[in-house]
Amino acid sequence: MLTKRLIACFDIINGRVTKAKQFQDNIDVAPADDLAEKMYADGIDELIFYDITASAQKRKIDIETVKRVAQRVCIPFSVGGGIKDLHDMYETLKAGAEKISVDSMAVRNPQIIKDGAKAFGSQCIVLSCQVKRTQKTASGYEVFIDGAQEPTGMDAIEWIQKGQDLGAGEICLNSIDFDGMMTGYDLELMVKAGRAVSLPLIASGGAGLPQHLKELFTHTDSLGAIISSMLYSPRADKNFSVQELKNYLADHNVNVRK
């Protein structure tokens, strides 16, 4: 049985972690490197770092913050936002990232997935998708870009299938509808994704209670779960420690890392 992963996702603005609700109204939380070190000490399995304004502002990723975070942790660390080509990927990996997350740029230029996989290996390329239920596509889910602000008309399930064909090694699905709501993951989305691709899936958006993780891992093929709101959101009624969550999952027969 494959081990399930608990992942902290940092939405970065000016070197600081923020927390949004449905990709809006970001609240400041902490310096990225300080929070990364705390999450690492608490036993988080992975980090995902998104420079969330880079694509919309048409600028490169905040490489200095990437370096500071990488110096504070020794766990898998994915980075996305403002990565436009192989040079940007190389610079980000050299700064300490283990994986590159592509999102808006991949929609605009799908070849970047293929080029990145060829240059650095599929295991380095994560296709991240901002997804919303619009009923305007065959699956009912539509891909959005630029911080979830711009609809693309693209079917989310068809897009992740294409991403798999182009060489992505992992898929992260961010539910716009469920983001920051703390009412549970979009299980329907993750079930559809699991039927469509064979790649490892990460679910993002909606976790608020330990049972939401159990539901995700029990009823879908997801191998990873982003749990940011549960860990440090100022909006949450209660923040949990990573160990509390792992203990709960282990008690409910979910295979997690110790």
Side-chain angles (χ1 to χ4, degrees):
M1 184 186 300
L2 292 173
T3 304
K4 307 298 186 179
R5 293 175 281 153
L6 300 185
I7 303 168
C9 179
F10 290 178
D11 290 341
I12 305 292
I13 298 177
N14 297 326
R16 297 183 64 86
V17 178
T18 66
K19 195 70 197 73
K21 186 175 182 180
Q22 295 183 315
F23 288 75
Q24 297 179 359
D25 302 324
N26 289 69
I27 297 174
D28 182 79
V29 176
D33 49 341
D34 289 348
L35 188 58
E37 185 173 46
K38 182 180 185 302
M39 292 294 99
Y40 173 54
D42 285 351
I44 199 72
D45 296 317
E46 292 189 24
L47 293 177
I48 295 180
F49 169 129
Y50 292 129
D51 186 340
I52 60 172
T53 59
S55 292
Q57 294 175 357
K58 306 294 189 292
R59 61 170 172 80
K60 290 184 178 294
I61 195 163
D62 180 357
I63 204 74
E64 293 305 315
T65 300
V66 175
K67 290 178 181 178
R68 288 197 300 272
V69 169
Q71 289 169 357
R72 307 280 284 272
V73 301
C74 295
I75 51 177
F77 174 34
S78 303
V79 173
I83 296 172
K84 299 179 176 64
D85 52 34
L86 287 181
H87 176 73
D88 291 344
M89 290 184 178
Y90 173 74
E91 290 297 316
T92 304
L93 293 169
K94 189 172 71 171
E98 182 175 283
K99 294 184 278 189
I100 300 295
S101 177
V102 290
D103 190 330
S104 301
M105 184 52 60
V107 170
R108 294 187 170 98
N109 175 26
Q111 183 68 26
I112 195 174
I113 301 172
K114 189 171 184 178
D115 291 346
K118 183 178 179 180
F120 307 111
S122 290
Q123 79 285 350
C124 277
I125 307 301
V126 181
L127 177 59
S128 180
C129 308
Q130 302 160 39
V131 176
K132 186 177 179 65
R133 294 188 187 194
T134 64
Q135 305 305 324
K136 294 179 180 179
T137 66
S139 70
Y141 292 93
E142 184 178 355
V143 175
F144 280 61
I145 59 173
D146 294 341
Q149 301 306 305
E150 293 294 328
T152 66
M154 295 168 55
D155 185 284
I157 301 303
E158 292 177 1
W159 173 230
I160 64 172
Q161 288 175 317
K162 183 174 181 179
Q164 176 175 264
D165 293 342
L166 287 167
E170 196 167 63
I171 304 287
C172 181
L173 288 167
N174 304 296
S175 171
I176 298 169
D177 302 291
F178 287 59
D179 180 71
M181 301 303 289
M182 292 176 278
T183 55
Y185 294 95
D186 190 335
L187 300 183
E188 180 183 346
L189 170 63
M190 300 313 298
V191 167
K192 288 186 175 183
R195 291 171 178 165
V197 299
S198 58
L199 296 177
L201 294 173
I202 298 170
S204 178
L209 296 170
Q211 53 261 44
H212 296 154
L213 290 166
K214 178 174 72 74
E215 291 167 357
L216 175 74
F217 290 137
T218 302
H219 299 299
T220 81
D221 294 327
S222 304
L223 287 180
I226 288 176
I227 54 171
S228 302
S229 292
M230 301 176 72
L231 297 175
Y232 52 76
S233 174
R235 294 187 175 100
D237 292 333
K238 171 179 170 56
N239 290 144
F240 296 87
S241 72
V242 176
Q243 201 57 54
E244 279 182 284
L245 298 174
K246 288 188 174 183
N247 290 343
Y248 174 89
L249 291 170
D251 289 344
H252 288 81
N253 301 312
V254 177
N255 188 23
V256 291
R257 298 175 183 178
K258 302 302 182 183

